[in-house]
Amino acid sequence: VANDVARSLETDDSYDRDVDPTILRLRSVEAVIRDSLAVLVKNLAADVDIADNLFEISGPPLGRNFAVRFIGAQGLAARRARKVFNAVRRDGDWQKLFCDTPAGARSQVYVDTDKSPRTLEIERSLRLLGKVLREKLPDKQVAVRKRDFQIAVDWVPLAKISCDAPGKIVYQWNVSEAVRLNIDRALVVSEVNAFSANRDQSVQWG
């Protein structure tokens, strides 16, 4: 069944498709074991009285990105997905969720609603850009704003990301602010690309 779900998700993943409210996306900081992630999802679902036969998990045996599709009529399945998503947030704070890595360490896992491949690609690049800028500006507050795909430094917009086709990330800069902060824009982008490539190569697929 999991393989059928994986194939279905791949088939539906046109680059700028509409989101599917019956799907939750899970992202781990490091590569984690899918069986460990399944236990985590089952516990979250049980907390809101959703049986483990009412959802299916797709993703590699070892990886960072997974999808959970809830079963039932469209409206009912979407409500189940929303209940589990809301369960991650308690008393206004997001729970910190973890899964096992092959080395026996623990990696933090983030839960989000479904997004198009375009949005996922932009957000991935946005997170990496934020990481690189934080390293270069340790005394500044670097904020990643997913709602408008921007990076702000001390509340001032610095960079914006867009993408019209797979792998075609475009970086736009607030030039005067980049100059003021002594940011080498070309160097920053090259470091983001190198960091992305290194993370991709670190996963050993089974």
Side-chain angles (χ1 to χ4, degrees):
V1 174
N3 289 337
D4 292 340
V5 175
R7 284 193 294 269
S8 177
L9 288 174
E10 290 171 1
T11 300
D12 293 344
D13 273 356
S14 58
Y15 192 63
D16 209 15
R17 64 166 174 77
D18 293 335
V19 299
D20 186 335
T22 70
I23 293 175
L24 295 181
R25 300 281 177 177
L26 281 73
R27 175 181 62 84
S28 175
V29 174
E30 303 295 336
V32 297
I33 301 166
R34 186 177 60 202
D35 289 347
S36 175
L37 184 105
V39 173
L40 171 65
V41 175
K42 288 177 182 178
N43 290 338
L44 289 173
D47 285 345
V48 289
D49 299 320
I50 295 175
D52 58 17
N53 64 341
L54 295 177
F55 60 85
E56 298 164 330
I57 301 171
S58 67
L62 175 66
R64 294 192 181 93
N65 296 290
F66 302 85
V68 182
R69 171 173 281 162
F70 290 82
I71 299 170
Q74 180 75 6
L76 181 58
R79 287 196 295 273
R80 287 171 176 154
R82 177 58 60 178
K83 284 180 69 176
V84 172
F85 180 72
N86 289 341
V88 180
R89 192 169 190 175
R90 292 179 177 173
D91 301 322
D93 294 322
W94 293 102
Q95 291 189 65
K96 288 190 175 181
L97 307 174
F98 296 90
C99 277
D100 293 333
T101 69
R106 304 282 279 169
S107 177
Q108 189 164 1
V109 176
Y110 298 90
V111 181
D112 207 344
T113 54
D114 183 44
K115 295 175 180 178
S116 70
R118 173 181 175 273
T119 298
L120 291 172
E121 184 170 8
I122 292 174
E123 288 187 354
R124 181 173 186 264
S125 296
L126 197 66
R127 287 192 300 270
L128 296 179
L129 178 59
K131 177 180 175 63
V132 171
L133 289 173
R134 288 188 186 100
E135 292 174 352
K136 294 188 177 300
L137 303 169
D139 299 325
K140 301 289 185 180
Q141 183 175 355
V142 177
V144 174
R145 301 185 344 194
K146 293 196 295 183
R147 67 181 182 276
D148 52 12
F149 303 144
Q150 290 190 24
I151 299 282
V153 176
D154 289 342
W155 309 106
V156 178
L158 173 64
K160 183 176 182 178
I161 291 179
S162 60
C163 189
D164 294 329
K168 302 297 184 182
I169 292 290
V170 176
Y171 296 86
Q172 296 174 287
W173 297 88
N174 179 344
V175 177
S176 61
E177 189 65 9
V179 170
R180 187 183 73 81
L181 294 170
N182 196 29
I183 295 293
D184 184 329
R185 290 168 284 162
L187 178 61
V188 166
V189 171
S190 69
E191 289 181 5
V192 169
N193 292 337
F195 189 76
S196 176
N198 288 338
R199 286 181 66 88
D200 291 340
Q201 291 171 6
S202 68
V203 178
Q204 296 182 355
W205 302 107

